[in-house]
C-alpha cells in the first residue's frame, strides 16, 4: 500500500511515521496509556485515522494538538514527517509558555534533596515561631 493512495492508516503507525515516537511499540504504549486522544476521545492503537482528524498528544511535559494533513505508513526524514501534520497556534503558544515557566522555576520548588540535620533544626525553629 503506497502512502499517497492510503485513505486510512493505523494510529500507532502514523505516530511512528510522523516521528512523535521512536518505535511503534512506544506509540502503542502511549495510546494505551491514554496519552493520545483522537477527536477528543481516548482510542486504541488499531484506530484508523483519516486526513483532517485532530489528535491531542501528551509526551513528557508537553501537550500538542495537531491536525492530520497527510497519511503515511513509512518513516522518513524529519522535514518530510513534519509535513504530515499541522500543529494549532494555541498549542504552540501554550507549549512555549509552559517551557518558559519550567525554565524560570515558577512551576515548582527545586531542592537538592532531603534537608540535612542543621536544615531540619532550622525548619523546626521556623515553624515553632
Amino acid at each position: 500500500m503506497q502512502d499517497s493512495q492510503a485513505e486510512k492508516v493505523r494510529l500507532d503507525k502514523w505516530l511512528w511515521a510522523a516521528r512523535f515516537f521512536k518505535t511503534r511499540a512506544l506509540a502503542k504504549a502511549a495510546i494505551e496509556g491514554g496519552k493520545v486522544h483522537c477527536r477528543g476521545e481516548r482510542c486504541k492503537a488499531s484506530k484508523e485515522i483519516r486526513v483532517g482528524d485532530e489528535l491531542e498528544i501528551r509526551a513528557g511535559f508537553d501537550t500538542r494538538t495537531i491536525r492530520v494533513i497527510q497519511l503515511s505508513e513509512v518513516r522518513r526524514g524529519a522535514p518530510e514527517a513534519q509535513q504530515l501534520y499541522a500543529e494549532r497556534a494555541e498549542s504552540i503558544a501554550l507549549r512555549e509558555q509552559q517551557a518558559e515557566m519550567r525554565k524560570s522555576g515558577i512551576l515548582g520548588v527545586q531542592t537538592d534533596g532531603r534537608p540535612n540535620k542543621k536544615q531540619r533544626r532550622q525548619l523546626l525553629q521556623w515553624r515553632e515561631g
Side-chain angles (χ1 to χ4, degrees):
M1 178 198 299
Q2 290 185 359
D3 40 275
S4 61
Q5 297 175 349
E7 292 181 15
K8 301 179 203 171
V9 176
R10 283 178 56 109
L11 180 58
D12 61 341
K13 226 179 224 192
W14 187 85
L15 288 170
W16 168 74
R19 294 184 164 264
F20 285 103
F21 299 97
K22 283 189 173 187
T23 64
R24 278 186 61 195
L26 288 174
K28 182 180 178 196
I31 294 166
E32 289 173 349
K35 304 220 183 301
V36 179
H37 292 247
C38 183
R39 295 184 219 123
E41 298 178 351
R42 196 170 169 168
C43 51
K44 294 184 178 182
S46 61
K47 173 149 181 72
E48 293 182 334
I49 61 168
R50 297 185 172 115
V51 173
D53 282 354
E54 193 162 296
L55 303 174
E56 187 176 308
I57 304 165
R58 284 184 313 179
F61 293 112
D62 297 331
T63 300
R64 297 174 184 243
T65 305
I66 62 164
R67 189 173 45 84
V68 178
I69 295 176
Q70 294 178 354
L71 299 177
S72 177
E73 291 184 332
V74 182
R75 187 174 170 104
R76 295 206 171 102
E80 292 178 42
Q82 289 174 348
Q83 294 176 1
L84 298 177
Y85 62 91
E87 188 171 0
R88 299 176 89 200
E90 302 90 30
S91 174
I92 295 170
L94 184 63
R95 268 190 317 114
E96 289 174 352
Q97 179 186 11
Q98 288 176 341
E100 189 61 38
M101 289 173 70
R102 279 194 305 273
K103 286 179 187 174
S104 65
I106 293 173
L107 293 179
V109 177
Q110 295 179 346
T111 63
D112 296 331
R114 291 176 53 180
N116 60 27
K117 191 171 185 177
K118 182 179 179 184
Q119 291 168 336
R120 280 196 304 271
R121 286 184 184 147
Q122 289 172 343
L123 282 171
L124 287 172
Q125 287 176 353
W126 178 74
R127 284 183 192 156
E128 291 173 355

